[in-house]
Amino acid sequence: MRSAVAGGTGRIGALVVKRLRARGHDVVSLSRGQGVDLVTGEGLHGALAGVDVVIDVSNPAVAEVATAERVFAAVSENLLAAEAKAGVGHHIALSIAAADRVLGNPHYYGKRVQEQVVAAGPVPYTIAPATQFHDFPAMIADWSTVDGVSHVPPLLLQPAAPEDVADVLVELAEGEPQGRYADIAGPLTEDAVDMARRTRAAHADARPLRASWRGVALGVEFAGEVMLPGDGARITPTTFDDWLAAL
Ligand SMILES: NC(=O)c1ccc[n+]([C@@H]2O[C@H](COP(=O)([O-])OP(=O)(O)OC[C@H]3O[C@@H](n4cnc5c(N)ncnc54)[C@H](OP(=O)(O)O)[C@@H]3O)[C@@H](O)[C@H]2O)c1
């Protein structure tokens, strides 16, 4: 199988590329650092020759809603047009489990448009919505550090190991298009503040961290059970405790 990973140099992308190669598949990675800009389409011409499946785990940076919707639409439209031309038979888009349940921040608006473009597009698809990864709360803490203090919202999550999500994406790439796939989630619910504190402790990072809804990209609309996976979720094996212990 020949596959293309859009965003193949990113956190989840690198894990997907490694797994595809380990399973003997040809892989082409698409990122700006590798000469392909998915927003403008530059470098995409010819990049999908002979490709059977495209896995989109790209993550264009967006700061406000209108830009997010335009940029995520452009990425999917450019990819799908190139795929249709090259005869690609399967487009897989990694999405976010709660994106259809909470309006959220600009990234969520972009992900919803991405899902719409993929579902209406010319290539058979699988939309794979995942819950937050085990490293997400520590990322929020880093994004929201003001005057040396990090602010993490007390989110109730059912996070998954990024390695497990990469395994599921490879499994999906080796199978038939499924339309909208089940939410992909880890085995246990967790508290984001606790996860961020424990991840920092594992890195001997003693910067102060507070539970707070202020100053972060995730506001009170993310409270309660909205971030948890929907019915019939695909439950991945690695708990946050086990993932942290293996760092
Ligand atoms: N983190 C979570 O908890 C979570 C949960 C569920 C779903 N997701 C989804 O997972 C996806 C990947 O996230 P990630 O954290 O792995 O991303 P990441 O580490 O930020 O990687 C982003 C990748 O996209 C590429 N990229 C960005 N802009 C591009 C452009 N204009 N053209 C071509 N490539 C571009 C980057 O390479 P260059 O910079 O070289 O272009 C990089 O390879 C996101 O779409 C996110 O919604 C994340």
Side-chain angles (χ1 to χ4, degrees):
M1 181 175 83
R2 183 165 166 79
S3 54
V5 180
T9 56
R11 276 180 290 272
I12 192 81
L15 295 171
V16 172
V17 167
K18 188 174 165 195
R19 282 158 173 71
L20 287 165
R21 292 204 169 120
R23 291 179 64 78
H25 301 306
D26 277 345
V27 186
V28 55
S29 175
L30 313 172
S31 69
R32 288 169 301 179
Q34 296 162 312
V36 178
D37 188 328
L38 297 166
V39 178
T40 63
E42 188 189 335
L44 202 47
H45 180 72
L48 301 183
V51 164
D52 303 295
V53 56
V54 169
I55 306 171
D56 182 9
V57 287
S58 64
N59 192 21
V62 287
E64 44 97 27
V65 168
T67 314
E69 292 184 333
R70 182 178 53 74
V71 163
F72 275 86
V75 167
S76 292
E77 284 164 2
N78 286 334
L79 272 174
L80 291 165
E83 290 169 30
K85 215 177 226 175
V88 173
H90 190 182
H91 177 97
I92 299 174
L94 176 61
S95 194
I96 304 177
D100 58 348
R101 299 191 283 277
V102 59
L103 279 181
N105 54 43
H107 188 77
Y108 277 59
Y109 282 81
K111 296 304 282 187
R112 279 191 291 277
V113 169
Q114 176 186 14
E115 289 193 13
Q116 287 159 15
V117 171
V118 169
V123 179
Y125 69 92
T126 303
I127 292 171
T131 59
Q132 290 60 48
F133 305 151
H134 286 335
D135 55 2
F136 183 68
M139 277 171 44
I140 303 177
D142 286 341
W143 294 341
S144 60
T145 301
V146 181
D147 296 332
V149 179
S150 303
H151 300 263
V152 176
L155 305 169
L156 178 61
L157 304 177
Q158 193 167 325
E163 295 81 1
D164 289 348
V165 174
D167 284 341
V168 175
L169 290 172
V170 170
E171 178 192 308
L172 292 171
E174 290 174 338
E176 297 300 314
Q178 307 217 19
R180 191 178 179 85
Y181 188 65
D183 288 351
I184 303 165
L188 298 173
T189 53
E190 302 281 353
D191 159 12
V193 179
D194 177 63
M195 292 174 74
R197 281 212 177 98
R198 290 173 60 202
T199 307
R200 282 197 168 176
H203 290 104
D205 179 346
R207 284 177 292 167
L209 189 155
R210 307 266 175 272
S212 166
W213 292 103
R214 295 187 184 168
V216 293
L218 297 100
V220 289
E221 73 269 27
F222 287 92
E225 300 199 338
V226 73
M227 305 288 273
L228 300 185
D231 291 341
R234 167 76 183 265
I235 302 298
T236 54
T238 310
T239 63
F240 176 67
D241 285 1
D242 288 346
W243 177 84
L244 197 61
L247 276 184

